[in-house]
Amino acid sequence: MALKEKLKGDVVAHMKAGNKVALTTVRNVLGEIETREKSGKTPVELDDLQVTALLQKEAAKRRDTAATYTAAGHQERAQAEIAEAEIIEAYLPKALSRDEAEAIVDEVIAGLRAGGSDLSMRSMGVVMKSVTPKIGGRFDGKAVSDMVKERLG
């Protein structure tokens, strides 16, 4: 089941359960997805990878807001933002450990070398293009980029 469809299905489940915080949060996220899909000259359909990236941004946004509220002494508002972030994070795929991410990077590089590619720093884009779908937002992109540079350097 696509992530967006799961979100839509959960709206009904949260409605029936009377979970107002989760219902509001999921509706807000779905609204953000629709806004992204309809913005631009032609409407597009976001795939799971794009929805996952959007969910990560929304969760991070709420965590940042919670930190701002905490600094301002508004603990109740901060807790509400954290609760929303946790609801959103429940939809995100399980994060990879550093070892798992390194294994994926090594596997891709080995596969490209086995295919006859002579890899150097100029091949960074080729390697990242192959690694990104496999990691799919489950590990920090900058850290992955650094891993690839280290192995190609």
Side-chain angles (χ1 to χ4, degrees):
M1 175 189 288
L3 189 52
K4 192 165 71 170
E5 299 307 314
K6 179 168 177 30
L7 286 164
K8 287 178 181 177
D10 285 353
V11 166
V12 175
H14 293 314
M15 221 182 289
K16 287 180 180 177
N19 188 345
K20 291 183 180 180
V21 174
L23 176 64
T24 304
T25 303
V26 173
R27 278 185 172 163
N28 287 342
V29 168
L30 282 170
E32 191 65 33
I33 291 169
E34 286 182 32
T35 300
R36 286 271 174 90
E37 289 179 336
K38 292 178 182 176
S39 67
K41 293 183 179 180
T42 57
V44 294
E45 184 81 16
L46 296 182
D47 62 17
D48 276 354
L49 194 58
Q50 292 167 316
V51 171
T52 299
L54 187 136
L55 289 175
Q56 287 171 328
K57 285 180 184 173
E58 289 296 312
K61 193 186 310 180
R62 283 165 176 78
R63 294 239 179 239
D64 290 345
T65 303
T68 304
Y69 281 139
T70 300
H74 298 285
Q75 288 302 324
E76 193 173 303
R77 288 182 174 177
Q79 289 301 319
E81 291 292 328
I82 289 171
E84 286 187 19
E86 288 171 352
I87 290 165
I88 294 168
E89 288 165 350
Y91 291 97
L92 295 173
K94 181 184 157 285
L96 296 174
S97 69
R98 182 162 188 84
D99 291 340
E100 292 169 324
E102 286 176 346
I104 291 172
V105 169
D106 291 339
E107 175 188 319
V108 167
I109 290 174
L112 288 171
R113 283 193 173 132
S117 297
D118 184 28
L119 299 178
S120 65
M121 283 304 284
R122 291 184 178 191
S123 309
M124 178 88 180
V126 173
V127 175
M128 287 301 292
K129 190 173 183 178
S130 299
V131 169
T132 302
K134 293 183 179 194
I135 290 193
R138 297 180 293 155
F139 197 78
D140 178 44
K142 174 80 172 101
V144 171
S145 176
D146 291 342
M147 284 178 209
V148 172
K149 283 180 188 172
E150 180 184 310
R151 280 153 178 80
L152 294 178

